[in-house]
Amino acid sequence: MDSLENSDYKAFKERWDGLSRHLPEDCVQYAIYIINERLDNAQQRLHLQEINKAAKEVRKKFLQHHIWQEEEFSLDLIHYEGRWILQGKTNFGDCIADEWLIAWVLRELSQKFEDAWIRLYDTQGEFLFIEAAKALPKWLNPEIGRNRAWINSGRLIVIPLQESQAPKSLTTAEALSLISSPSFQLIHSRSMEAEAFRRLSNYPQEIQNNNHRAIVTIPRKLAHLLRKNPLYIAPAVEAFYLRDPISIKHLQNPNPSTLRFPPRDLVTVTVRFTKFLYAQIQSQQFAAPPAWATAIPSILAAAGKEKMEWGQQNAKALARAEMGMKVTSGFEMVLQDAQLRGRRKVQEMQVLLEDVESGEEELPKDEEIKEWEMKEDDETWLNVDFREFQEELEGKKGKDWGDKGAQNNLRDIVKSFKHFMDEGAGVEGVEDMMDDDDDDGAEDGGSETDDSFDSERFQKSMEAFREMPAEERPKALAKDMEKLLQELGDEELIEGDDEDDEMRDIMNRMEKELNKAGALRLNPQDSDAKQVGNSKRYRDGRSSRIRELKKAEDEDEDTDESSDDAEENDIDYNLAKNMMEAFKAQSGMSGPAGNMLAQMGIQLPRDEADAE
């Protein structure tokens, strides 16, 4: 865990922190600008009102029953720096899913209004860039990244560096000016966009998948409150999760009459949570307050009478009573906390309770409650076995745990981390796999720039190579090499003749020196040849692969190049020898040789003892 905390990825992430320190912690801020030269200021205002109306329709269609962890998504029309914009700020608390839900809503709006340009950032700064860390170009770093990420027409648009100016962050006005300029070319990188929006791929279905229903036993008055507005559950769970000795002091009074929800007149109903809220409250160990300590035995006795036995039914009744005790205690804490009385939801609950206590509002009868939905969802997504978790990390097939979304997210995290450690980490932070020429092309390219290095294609090729039988790999490599040489073209090879002659002369002289020192001995009968592998099985297998590679090359090239093939075969053997020496030097630990072999799907046995 310490190594992860000290990793370069954490350092890269921290470099993006602090870019928007004016925001409260765990907040996301967003703004919608109109860039349309045909609209004047007044017309832009009307257009923004139309966008706000569309946003409300999206909320009504998809988010009407969504339980927000802290604050809801909302947009306000304001006049800022001489223009009208839609702006909003949402505190998402500990629930990152709410932040990405807002990102999805804004992306949906951008697809409906092509002249809407959307800015989205949180306390850490440009979190879309943080999400797309492994696909960022080299020039894009935290010091110059502010106001360079925009969402338009469902795409991630990046403002490149200006040739005439030193690299720096942009102000909002500067960014809008560059976007509005018809001569300035913006960047749309599909690989960067895919990484930045990866978490949005399952929306809007993910909104429903994020819910969890549980059957709990709670006071009738509280059941009425949650029936009026199920969204009240969020502040109650938060208060229970963040409880302290002061907040639970009120619950320690043995007199039930001092409680707003005394544990009497209990009913069993379905309560809807988000998975995040349910995990928070389910994971807590909580000793029953005095009033509940006397009420729970009667609940269990009633369950036993109904079933006429003390078995599974009684265990269910106990679990529902304990969960109801936690939920009820959370509501008690919310209503007793003076710091929370100013919240809108808390004020609404106070008004509803006053109406009930005054007799203006009647509580639901048993007959009415029986008609309510009584469903509970499976809790297996909470259960994670350590061995199965380790198998998931290693990519082994085993018993599924949790939901599919959690498994896919875990695999993506592990894949990204491995890619970062193997390919993109350095002392200066994350380095992109694209070379400098690609960056220059991206800066000079148009709005539909495709990176010359296609990371998705590379990943698919690597996966296909790993899945390929060992005997077919040499032929496939030979064919790919021939195709690559054909793509280079004769013209490039001719133009480089002079440089090639000079380089060839240098290499020949270097080879002579190395031969004198004995560094290029390739005779597998030498005494040091056993360092290629400590087992005869491995040497035979590797020699077989070399012979197959030579055979594939002989079939694809002219016969007059057979001497070159033999030389390539020797070089391949020497490469294997050096690779094995490097692997042995790791002494069973991780290292560059082991990482490279693992990327090719080759797993070598550990060198437990030296055969010498």
Side-chain angles (χ1 to χ4, degrees), residues 106-107 110 116-118 120 128 149-155 197:
L106 294 172
R107 190 185 184 195
S110 73
W117 289 77
I118 300 176
L120 181 66
L128 292 178
W150 293 79
I151 300 176
N152 173 257
S153 299
R155 307 171 301 167
F197 293 150

Side-chain angles (χ1 to χ4, degrees), residues 439-454:
D439 296 335
D440 296 340
E443 293 175 23
D444 299 334
S447 61
E448 290 291 340
T449 302
D450 246 345
D451 302 327
S452 60
F453 179 83
D454 192 336

Side-chain angles (χ1 to χ4, degrees), residues 63 71 99 112 133 157 226 360 366 473 531 547 563 592:
L63 310 179
E71 298 175 351
E99 181 179 27
K112 296 181 179 180
I157 303 298
L226 287 171
E360 296 181 13
D366 289 342
R473 292 183 181 180
Q531 296 180 15
R547 288 195 298 269
S563 60

Side-chain angles (χ1 to χ4, degrees), residues 214-220 223 265-271 299 302-303 306 313 316-317 319-321 324 366 369-376:
I215 297 178
V216 300
T217 300
I218 55 178
R220 190 183 301 268
D265 191 17
L266 300 172
V267 295
T268 300
V269 296
T270 296
V271 174
I299 298 174
E306 292 178 5
Q313 184 71 14
K316 273 188 177 182
R320 292 170 179 176
D366 289 342
I369 292 176
K370 289 180 180 179
E371 297 178 359
W372 294 357
E373 179 187 57
M374 285 288 287
K375 292 184 179 180
E376 58 183 342

Side-chain angles (χ1 to χ4, degrees), residues 165-182:
Q165 296 184 3
K168 67 181 184 69
S169 287
L170 301 174
T171 65
T172 304
E174 290 172 338
L176 293 173
S177 176
L178 292 174
I179 294 173
S180 303
S181 175

Side-chain angles (χ1 to χ4, degrees), residues 525-581:
Q525 302 301 324
D526 291 346
S527 60
D528 60 348
K530 60 184 176 182
Q531 296 180 15
V532 178
N534 290 323
S535 67
K536 183 177 184 303
R537 178 179 58 83
Y538 178 80
R539 292 199 301 271
D540 293 343
R542 185 59 182 163
S543 299
S544 176
R545 292 188 183 183
I546 295 172
R547 288 195 298 269
E548 291 177 358
L549 178 60
K550 182 176 182 301
K551 181 179 179 181
E553 292 172 347
D554 291 341
E555 293 176 353
D556 293 337
E557 299 192 8
D558 297 332
T559 56
D560 58 353
E561 297 179 354
S562 59
S563 60
D564 294 336
D565 293 338
E567 182 179 356
E568 292 296 328
N569 188 45
D570 290 340
I571 294 173
D572 184 73
Y573 175 82
N574 191 48
L575 174 63
K577 176 177 177 291
N578 294 334
M579 181 66 74
M580 289 303 301
E581 289 175 348

